[in-house]
Amino acid sequence: MRKGIIISAVALVVVAGGVIIYTNRDSLFGSSNSTMPPMPTSSSTATQSTNSVAIQNFAFSPSAITIKKGTTVTWTNQDSTAHTVTETDSQDGPKSGNLSTGKSYSFTYNTVGTFKYECSIHTSMTGTVTVTE
Ligand SMILES: [Cu+2]
């Protein structure tokens, strides 16, 4: 009988401990969700006529731009993490190296075509520059 009580007590502690861990996990998840960067807006994925691209929330914004031949495009890192602007299609394109917070990099596109680039640190960050006559 006493053995049964002890086992029950141990089981209760295990269950209670599990509940506390679960609750903490839950609140951790809740707080990390609230600090998640906002989802990119649809406008940042549409092709835009600009020569200025922000690097923010682990994305190029806008990620697709159209420019005239001879235009200089400037990327500015607004994240607290270092990023790069690196061509990925073996054409003449940007090769910025690491850009720390607040740093900018410029590249002039002198050839008509479509040019792809990425952040070489976070390769899910991609962008496209379309150069027209
Ligand atoms: Cu990056």
Side-chain angles (χ1 to χ4, degrees):
M1 193 60 186
R2 177 168 283 175
K3 210 173 195 177
I5 290 167
I6 291 166
I7 288 166
S8 307
V10 168
L12 194 68
V13 167
V14 169
V15 169
V19 168
I20 289 161
I21 289 161
Y22 182 79
T23 306
N24 285 346
R25 269 181 66 117
D26 216 38
S27 64
L28 272 176
F29 267 61
S31 63
S32 73
N33 271 346
S34 64
T35 56
M36 284 281 282
M39 290 293 286
T41 56
S42 56
S43 65
S44 70
T45 55
T47 299
Q48 294 183 24
S49 295
T50 178
N51 64 340
S52 180
V53 178
I55 308 172
Q56 55 187 172
N57 298 327
F58 288 81
F60 296 104
S61 181
S63 60
I65 61 171
T66 299
I67 55 166
K68 294 259 185 241
K69 190 170 83 175
T71 302
T72 299
V73 178
T74 300
W75 291 264
T76 304
N77 184 9
Q78 298 178 3
D79 269 349
S80 53
T81 311
H83 295 292
T84 80
V85 181
T86 309
E87 57 84 11
T88 54
D89 49 16
S90 303
Q91 300 183 83
D92 187 24
K95 295 177 184 68
S96 73
N98 283 12
L99 296 174
S100 53
T101 304
K103 288 282 184 296
S104 291
Y105 172 81
S106 295
F107 179 82
T108 303
Y109 288 87
N110 288 314
T111 312
V112 169
T114 302
F115 300 83
K116 295 188 180 302
Y117 64 88
E118 67 176 13
C119 168
S120 63
I121 304 168
H122 316 101
T123 53
S124 63
M125 296 172 60
T126 59
T128 305
V129 177
T130 302
V131 182
T132 59
E133 204 56 71

